[in-house]
Amino acid sequence: VQLDRLFETGNFDAMPSMMKLGLENYFCSQECFRKGYAIHKTLHVAQPNPDLALPPEFSGYQFTGDLRPACVTPTRSLPESIVRPDYAKDGIPRSEQAIRGSASIRVYSEKDIEGMRLVCRLGREVLDIAGDMIKPGVTTDEIDAVVHQACIDRGAYPSPLNYRNFPKSVCTSVNEAICHGIPDKRPLQEGDIVNLDVTLYKGGYHGDLNETFFVGKVDEESRKLVQVTYECLEKAIAKVRPGELYRNLGTEITKHARANGFSVVRSYCGHGIGELFHTTPNVPHYSKNKAIGVMRPGHIFTIEPMICVGTWRDRLWPDDWTAVTADGKRSAQFEHTMLVTEDGV
C-alpha cells in the first residue's frame, strides 16, 4: 500500500523505512525506483537488534521454554543521601551471615512495627507505579529504571540492588521464570505474564511484596494460573495467627494449587524480614515441609507462593539468578509482608 501511494504521488523523498535505517533516498523518478527496486528492497530486511543478542554466558545453554535473555544495562547509581544496607557496596549481607544457623525468630517492638508499616506502604506505591507501566513493547529494563527512581523519590534504597551482586533494583520474572529475573532489554509481548518483585529499604527496615501482571490479553490457562496463585496467598494469610505452625501454611497452599491442577515450587520460600532482607523464619509453600517455628505476636515474615502449570522443579539460568520451570511451562507468584498480631494478622 505504501509503495502504491509513492507511485501515485511520485514523492520519494519521505520513505519511512529508509529514514529509520538512516539511509538517504537516491531515487529520482518512478522509473528509477522501478529499476533499482530489486536492490532497494534488500535494505528492508529486518536488521538484528543488538539489544536482543544472546549474552555470551548463555552460549550452548539448553533453554526449557521460549523465554530468552537480552541485554542488561549497567547498574544504576544512587544519590549519596540514600541510606544503604550493609551489602550495598560489595554485595555481602554480613548482618544476615552473622545469624546464620539460628532458629530464633525476632519479636518486633511497636517502634519497629511502625518503621515496617512505613516502608511497606512505600513499597506498595512503587509496585503500583511499576504495574501501571506494563503493556506490550515496554522492556523490563524500563520498568527497572522507573522503580529505581521511585525508590529515590521516597528516600529509599531498592533492596535487590547489589544484594549478593544482583545488578538491578527490581526482579522481573516473565512467563516460565519463577523468580529473580533480571530486568533487560527484551520488550514485553502480548500474552506474557510478568511478576514484579519490589523491596524497599528505609529507616533501617525492608518491606517486600510482589504481584504477577497480564501483558495485554492472555490465554485462559495463564489467567487461571494467576488467579489461583493469588487465592493460594489469600488462603495462607487466613491461617496466620498466634500459635499456628509455620509449616502449616504450605499445606493450605498445596491443597488449593493441586485442586486446580497446578504444582508448588519447593526451592524458594517465604522468609522473615525487617532490619534484615532475609532472616528467620523460613516459610515453605509446599505441604509436608519441616519448617521450624510457631507464630507469635510481633513476628514479621513474607508469604510468597510460586505456583506452576506443570512441574514444580526448577532450573537456574547461567546468569546465576533467574529460576525457570524445568519444563518451560508458566509460573506465577504473589507476595505480602505479614505482621502477626494478637488476633491474627
Side-chain angles (χ1 to χ4, degrees):
V1 174
Q2 186 180 49
L3 290 179
D4 291 343
R5 178 176 61 80
L6 291 169
F7 282 131
E8 291 171 1
T9 63
N11 178 13
F12 296 100
D13 294 325
M15 297 185 65
S17 297
M18 296 291 283
M19 293 170 67
K20 287 179 183 178
L21 291 170
L23 301 174
E24 294 184 1
N25 173 37
Y26 51 84
F27 295 112
C28 54
S29 67
Q30 293 182 24
E31 185 61 28
C32 176
F33 179 84
R34 290 191 181 95
K35 288 180 178 179
Y37 183 67
I39 296 173
H40 168 79
K41 68 180 180 181
T42 64
L43 298 175
H44 290 270
V45 175
Q47 302 298 309
N49 184 345
D51 287 343
L52 301 181
L54 197 67
E57 64 267 30
F58 286 85
S59 178
Y61 178 73
Q62 297 297 308
F63 291 93
T64 63
D66 294 333
L67 184 67
R68 296 293 182 272
C71 172
V72 176
T73 60
T75 298
R76 295 181 167 87
S77 62
L78 289 152
E80 289 301 320
S81 60
I82 301 295
V83 177
R84 292 151 164 78
D86 66 352
Y87 55 80
K89 186 175 181 179
D90 61 10
I92 302 172
R94 290 178 174 80
S95 298
E96 292 183 10
Q97 292 179 341
I99 63 165
R100 182 177 294 171
S102 171
S104 176
I105 303 172
R106 178 172 173 175
V107 174
Y108 286 86
S109 68
E110 286 301 319
K111 178 179 177 294
D112 295 324
I113 291 168
E114 286 307 307
M116 286 297 293
R117 289 188 192 281
L118 171 62
V119 73
C120 287
R121 185 167 65 249
L122 296 177
R124 176 76 261 174
E125 292 176 5
V126 173
L127 181 57
D128 287 345
I129 291 168
D132 286 344
M133 293 184 65
I134 293 176
K135 63 180 180 180
V138 171
T139 69
T140 50
D141 182 70
E142 291 171 321
I143 294 172
D144 177 76
V146 168
V147 167
H148 187 83
Q149 186 59 50
C151 291
I152 293 172
D153 293 344
R154 288 158 178 77
Y157 183 93
S159 300
L161 186 62
N162 210 35
Y163 179 79
R164 300 185 185 276
N165 303 122
F166 188 82
K168 292 296 180 178
S169 297
V170 62
C171 297
T172 55
S173 303
V174 180
N175 296 342
E176 69 263 28
I178 296 169
C179 60
H180 304 155
I182 299 174
D184 61 23
K185 287 284 197 173
R186 175 192 179 272
L188 294 173
Q189 300 174 8
E190 182 82 19
D192 283 346
I193 60 172
V194 57
N195 178 271
L196 304 183
D197 194 342
V198 168
T199 312
L200 272 62
Y201 178 75
K202 183 179 175 67
Y205 304 98
H206 298 269
D208 192 2
L209 72 165
N210 75 54
E211 291 184 356
T212 300
F213 298 85
F214 300 136
V215 183
K217 185 177 181 180
V218 303
D219 60 63
E220 286 304 312
E221 182 177 64
S222 296
R223 186 172 294 277
K224 179 182 177 183
L225 170 68
V226 172
Q227 179 63 38
V228 169
T229 303
Y230 182 74
E231 292 167 358
C232 284
L233 174 60
E234 286 189 313
K235 289 181 179 298
I237 291 173
K239 292 286 290 183
V240 176
R241 60 178 67 90
E244 186 68 65
L245 299 174
Y246 279 101
R247 66 172 178 257
N248 288 345
L249 299 182
T251 302
E252 294 301 308
I253 291 167
T254 300
K255 185 188 305 181
H256 189 63
R258 286 181 176 171
N260 285 277
F262 298 134
S263 65
V264 182
V265 170
R266 300 187 181 190
S267 299
Y268 302 91
C269 62
H271 52 89
I273 189 169
E275 291 182 341
L276 303 180
F277 193 176
H278 299 92
T279 185
T280 54
N282 287 326
V283 186
H285 304 115
Y286 57 92
S287 61
K288 299 180 181 178
N289 66 76
K290 301 185 185 302
I292 297 171
V294 178
M295 297 179 197
R296 302 295 183 204
H299 285 185
I300 298 177
F301 60 95
T302 70
I303 305 175
E304 45 188 295
M306 290 147 271
I307 309 301
C308 304
V309 169
T311 182
W312 55 267
R313 298 183 185 277
D314 63 277
R315 298 287 184 270
L316 189 65
W317 272 7
D319 61 16
D320 291 331
W321 276 107
T322 307
V324 296
T325 57
D327 57 8
K329 295 182 179 180
R330 291 188 171 188
S331 180
Q333 182 185 21
F334 285 88
E335 174 186 22
H336 281 310
T337 296
M338 305 288 120
L339 165 67
V340 182
T341 63
E342 294 288 349
D343 56 0
V345 62

